[in-house]
Amino acid sequence: MITTVEDYSMARTKPGVLVFSGGGYHDFERGAELIGQALADRFRITHTTKVGDLAKVSGAKFAAVVIYAQGGTMTDAQAKSLEKFVSDGGGLVGIHCVADCFTASNRFKKLLGSEFATHGPITDFQVTVTDPTHPVVARTEDFQITDELYTLKDHSDYHVFATAHWQGVDRPMGYERRVGKGRVIYLANGHDPGVLGNRYFQRLIQRATRVACGETFDAIVRAGIIGYGGAFNMGLHHSQLINDTLGMCVTAVCDVDPARTDQAKVELGDTITTFNNMNRFLRDGEFDMVISILPHHLHAKAAVAAAKAGKHLITEKPFCITLKEADQMIAASAEAGKMLSVFHNRRWDADFHLML
């Protein structure tokens, strides 16, 4: 693990992120750990509690700085260095109490875009996604969280992508602003470890940092449907859900019955390619992920074949028929390095998340 700013050049396998934490009223030690946990699989984390390290980021070539801190002082020279880092293309992610950090620095407050005004009691409230096209919250549903809700005083213009309703006003819970070639993203949640460890918020932390580092999330995940039978019209159902999801589209359909693939073209358009043979579908179809809607006894066969063809796969429930089949499916996807999952239509509900 890299522990100092100067160690940056020793390891470049992942983009570097400098996490700065410290101050009062919050558990910053545990908070920094949880932020690192959210970022670890995508970034190489350097943690510091020294304000002076924020003035070194321009030369150290970090991709982004994440600040989870309260209070403190920052000189104008330090704020100017951080501002230059962002303007030159770096990212800055501020979490929660950063709005109450370095408040004597007008330059920093303008860079961040806002300043803490006040907050209500810790309570349960809904975070509402107001711009579902924004990459930080794309494909993220509104969620409930127990947290301290900040109200802000604006210092710059910004684009809000999430809000919470408090005292008759929709308060910003997440926003982005452009500074030169770089980006600043602020997430208002994050008062305590319970919030920072929340699975929804962990995802937002990682996405915010990825976006701040310049990821655009423009890539389209192409899906191929295998099994377009008429029973319950599940092929059409899944296809419509996929095509209605930002960043996804159906490009191919396979069914042994030519009448069903003809129907798929009627329902989904002539732009899709159709197949009546699974092997040709997996070999020639232009897609990244298979959606398997086959009869139960064929789930394992399709999953193993998809993995060998280098495709991700999501299968309708049940996962398969036997434990042996499950082991074969899991082994094949692991060997191929591809995702394997199963649709459980209640698995992602908030009440199930709470129990888990």
Side-chain angles (χ1 to χ4, degrees):
M1 179 179 178
I2 298 169
T3 57
T4 67
V5 173
E6 289 75 10
D7 288 336
Y8 175 80
S9 61
M10 296 175 64
R12 295 172 180 263
T13 56
K14 297 178 181 179
V17 170
L18 180 64
V19 177
F20 172 81
S21 67
Y25 308 107
H26 303 78
D27 185 349
F28 290 109
E29 181 176 356
R30 180 59 179 150
E33 290 177 358
L34 289 167
I35 291 168
Q37 175 181 299
L39 302 178
D41 67 329
R42 293 273 183 171
F43 300 99
R44 179 180 42 77
I45 311 301
T46 301
H47 177 241
T48 184
T49 58
K50 300 176 181 178
V51 178
D53 285 343
L54 297 176
K56 301 176 184 178
V57 289
S58 294
K61 302 186 187 300
F62 283 93
V65 172
V66 177
I67 301 180
Y68 179 59
Q70 181 275 333
T73 58
M74 173 179 278
T75 68
D76 192 62
Q78 290 168 337
K80 190 173 182 179
S81 178
L82 184 59
E83 181 183 55
K84 183 179 186 303
F85 166 74
V86 177
S87 183
D88 287 346
L92 173 61
V93 177
I95 298 176
H96 189 60
C97 49
V98 68
D100 193 34
C101 196
F102 311 135
T103 54
S105 172
N106 289 329
R107 188 183 296 274
F108 177 79
K109 290 187 291 188
K110 183 177 180 180
L111 176 64
L112 181 64
S114 66
E115 177 185 5
F116 167 78
T118 187
H119 66 75
I122 294 177
T123 188
D124 184 71
F125 59 88
Q126 177 173 291
V127 176
T128 301
V129 174
T130 54
D131 182 5
T133 67
H134 194 281
V136 173
V137 290
R139 301 188 298 276
T140 298
E141 296 182 352
D142 301 344
F143 60 92
Q144 293 289 129
I145 200 162
T146 301
D147 201 359
E148 183 181 68
L149 199 157
Y150 272 18
T151 63
L152 304 172
K153 176 182 178 182
D154 295 339
H155 286 277
S156 302
D157 292 334
Y158 49 73
H159 174 72
V160 176
F161 53 75
T163 63
H165 197 73
W166 177 252
Q167 294 183 335
V169 179
D170 289 331
R171 310 287 182 177
M173 287 288 106
Y175 66 71
E176 176 189 352
R177 60 183 310 265
R178 301 294 182 94
V179 179
K181 299 177 182 178
R183 295 175 176 178
V184 175
I185 296 177
Y186 174 69
L187 302 175
N189 288 117
H191 176 71
D192 58 35
V195 179
L196 293 168
N198 177 284
R199 68 181 66 193
Y200 288 102
F201 195 59
Q202 286 255 307
R203 180 169 62 183
L204 295 188
I205 292 171
Q206 186 188 99
R207 282 194 183 181
T209 307
R210 291 169 64 185
V211 172
C213 288
E215 286 195 48
T216 60
F217 295 82
D218 290 334
I220 300 296
V221 177
R222 303 166 302 172
I225 306 292
I226 183 166
Y228 204 80
F232 305 106
N233 279 325
M234 292 303 292
L236 175 61
H237 173 68
H238 281 286
S239 297
Q240 289 174 330
L241 290 174
I242 290 167
N243 287 334
D244 288 343
T245 299
L246 182 68
M248 298 186 71
C249 69
V250 173
T251 58
V253 170
C254 178
D255 196 282
V256 293
D257 183 355
R260 292 307 303 164
T261 49
D262 289 344
Q263 183 65 22
K265 278 190 173 288
V266 171
E267 294 173 337
L268 303 178
D270 289 332
T271 58
I272 65 166
T273 54
T274 57
F275 302 84
N276 303 113
N277 177 277
M278 184 178 73
N279 292 331
R280 286 197 291 270
F281 167 73
L282 293 173
R283 183 190 66 205
D284 300 331
E286 296 183 355
F287 51 85
D288 311 294
M289 176 175 66
V290 175
I291 307 298
S292 176
I293 319 174
L294 294 169
H296 302 169
H297 69 285
L298 297 176
H299 286 189
K301 180 180 178 179
V304 171
K308 290 181 176 179
K311 309 294 186 183
H312 304 287
L313 181 135
I314 303 178
T315 183
E316 257 293 355
K317 60 185 187 297
F319 189 61
C320 54
I321 300 299
T322 69
L323 178 60
K324 182 179 178 180
E325 287 181 343
D327 289 339
Q328 292 171 343
M329 293 164 68
I330 293 168
S333 63
E335 183 177 353
K338 299 300 176 180
M339 180 199 71
L340 172 66
S341 188
V342 59
F343 285 106
H344 278 208
N345 60 338
R346 308 296 296 184
R347 177 67 60 83
W348 312 115
D349 286 4
D351 48 356
F352 277 74
H353 274 208
L354 179 63
M355 288 190 292
L356 292 172

